[in-house]
């Protein structure tokens, strides 16, 4: 059977079939994305002229790209712009390994010592983008998908980064503190107090503020210039993360974040 399949496959590849049809819709969509990425925000007319794609076709493709999260349209100017989604996809291929690989040894040690899921996150605006995760070996564990986002104000990685933001009070007071559960901090004064406490102790605590039943501890990772844009955290089911265990695990998280910082320092592409 294997030989027959292999033979038929060879025959198919050696016959002089006509060249496969190329998908012009996909090609046009890619041209629109490239134009917006390289030239910045543009009107439909400018995009049509820049790419040579008719307005009706360009408009239809832009609607699809918008629905998929690659393009935004400004409500006031009607101009289109590429979104951070393009950057996220590109980072998976190129930038992410540069940020993740130096942190992996520290993440692995932390996972082995804590036996909880370890998460690496990068701040992007008011959100955290999950770069990498190492799963807990426990049968019951938390789940975070790499590439997903979460509101920075209610996850441990985000709170660890925000706490060490040089803008401090100014940044904290302008955040939109949407509620995602009964534990989410939605009062700006209470959030500022939590940020100051995080600075003082060197680690953040998520007490089920993002997902009910999940608690986490986070600590900042510092780049070569001391800037904090990333953080490590461990997350586990609330019943496995009471206050006394959080106090016990927090030094491990901070030590791992310090180790990751040392690994990153001296690499100016990881600020």
């Amino acid at each position: 059977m294997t030989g027959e399949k292999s033979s038929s496959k060879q025959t198919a590849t050696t016959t002089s079939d006509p060249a496969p049809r190329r998908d012009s819709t996909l090609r046009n969509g890619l041209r629109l994305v490239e134009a917006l990425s390289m030239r910045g925000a543009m009107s439909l007319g400018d995009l049509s002229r820049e790419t040579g794609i008719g307005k009706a076709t360009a408009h239809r493709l832009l609607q699809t790209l918008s629905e998929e999260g690659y393009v935004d349209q400004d409500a006031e100017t009607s101009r289109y712009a590429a979104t951070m989604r393009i950057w996220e996809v590109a980072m998976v291929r190129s930038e992410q390994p540069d940020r993740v690989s130096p942190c992996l040894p520290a993440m692995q040690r932390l996972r082995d010592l804590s036996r909880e899921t370890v998460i690496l996150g990068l701040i992007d605006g008011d959100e955290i983008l999950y770069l990498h995760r190492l799963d807990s070996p426990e049968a019951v564990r938390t789940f975070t998908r790499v590439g997903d986002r979460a509101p920075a104000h209610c996850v441990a990685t985000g709170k660890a980064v925000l706490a060490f933001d040089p803008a401090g009070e100014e940044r904290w007071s302008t955040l939109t503190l949407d509620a995602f559960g009964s534990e989410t901090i939605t009062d700006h004064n209470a959030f500022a107090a939590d940020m100051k406490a995080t600075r003082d102790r060197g680690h953040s605590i998520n007490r089920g503020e993002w997902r009910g039943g999940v608690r986490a501890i986070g600590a900042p990772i510092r780049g070569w210039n001391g800037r904090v844009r990333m953080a490590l955290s461990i997350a586990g089911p609330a019943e496995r993360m009471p206050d006394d265990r959080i106090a016990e695990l927090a030094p491990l998280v901070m030590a791992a974040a310090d180790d990751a910082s040392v690994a990153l320092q001296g690499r100016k592409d990881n600020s």
Side-chain angles (χ1 to χ4, degrees):
M1 291 293 291
T2 304
E4 290 177 4
K5 288 182 179 179
S6 176
S7 174
S8 63
K9 195 171 186 180
Q10 284 183 337
T11 302
T13 55
T14 55
T15 55
S16 54
D17 290 337
R21 295 178 59 187
R22 291 175 172 81
D23 192 326
S24 60
T25 300
L26 176 59
R27 178 180 294 172
N28 286 339
L30 291 171
R31 286 165 64 189
L32 290 171
V33 169
E34 289 175 356
L36 290 172
S37 299
M38 295 181 179
R39 298 295 184 92
M42 300 172 71
S43 68
L44 177 60
D46 288 339
L47 265 173
S48 178
R49 285 188 291 273
E50 175 73 19
T51 60
I53 301 170
K55 282 187 179 182
T57 299
H59 183 263
R60 186 180 70 252
L61 292 173
L62 288 165
Q63 296 309 302
T64 300
L65 290 167
S66 179
E67 291 170 3
E68 295 299 320
Y70 289 90
V71 169
D72 272 340
Q73 184 179 24
D74 189 281
E76 294 183 2
T77 66
S78 296
R79 287 158 65 89
Y80 293 90
T83 68
M84 291 296 293
R85 177 65 179 151
I86 296 167
W87 173 81
E88 291 174 32
V89 172
M91 194 175 74
V92 170
R93 178 63 184 91
S94 59
E95 187 175 353
Q96 180 178 325
D98 291 336
R99 295 185 185 278
V100 172
S101 56
C103 300
L104 275 176
M107 294 179 69
Q108 290 165 346
R109 286 193 296 272
L110 180 58
R111 190 266 315 277
D112 294 343
L113 289 170
S114 69
R115 295 184 63 82
E116 300 295 352
T117 297
V118 180
I119 300 163
L120 177 66
L122 170 75
I123 194 78
D124 177 32
D126 294 342
E127 295 180 316
I128 278 290
L129 175 65
Y130 293 123
L131 299 181
H132 198 62
R133 135 187 135 250
L134 297 178
D135 287 328
S136 164
E138 301 290 346
V140 178
R141 56 181 180 259
T142 61
F143 177 76
T144 298
R145 187 166 57 190
V146 173
D148 276 358
R149 291 169 172 264
H153 71 280
C154 56
V155 295
T157 46
K159 292 173 72 176
V161 175
L162 290 172
F164 291 88
D165 191 317
E169 297 270 8
E170 182 181 350
R171 175 73 186 278
W172 306 333
S173 65
T174 59
L175 287 170
T176 301
L177 302 178
D178 290 331
F180 295 91
S182 60
E183 299 298 324
T184 308
I185 301 173
T186 57
D187 177 79
H188 281 94
N189 290 330
F191 188 77
D194 186 55
M195 291 291 94
K196 291 174 183 176
T198 298
R199 277 186 177 179
D200 290 343
R201 65 180 175 245
H203 67 270
S204 63
I205 302 174
N206 165 13
R207 297 179 173 86
E209 297 153 46
W210 171 231
R211 295 286 185 247
V214 175
R215 305 186 85 185
I217 312 162
I221 296 174
R222 292 172 173 81
W224 68 273
N225 58 358
R227 186 180 180 190
V228 175
R229 296 191 63 223
M230 295 195 299
L232 278 181
S233 72
I234 56 172
E239 59 268 22
R240 210 159 61 220
M241 300 277 281
D243 289 347
D244 58 346
R245 188 160 188 255
I246 285 177
E248 175 187 329
L249 292 174
L252 300 179
V253 179
M254 292 188 289
D258 287 344
D259 289 345
S261 299
V262 170
L264 285 167
Q265 285 164 7
R267 296 182 53 168
K268 295 189 177 183
D269 58 333
N270 285 300
S271 58

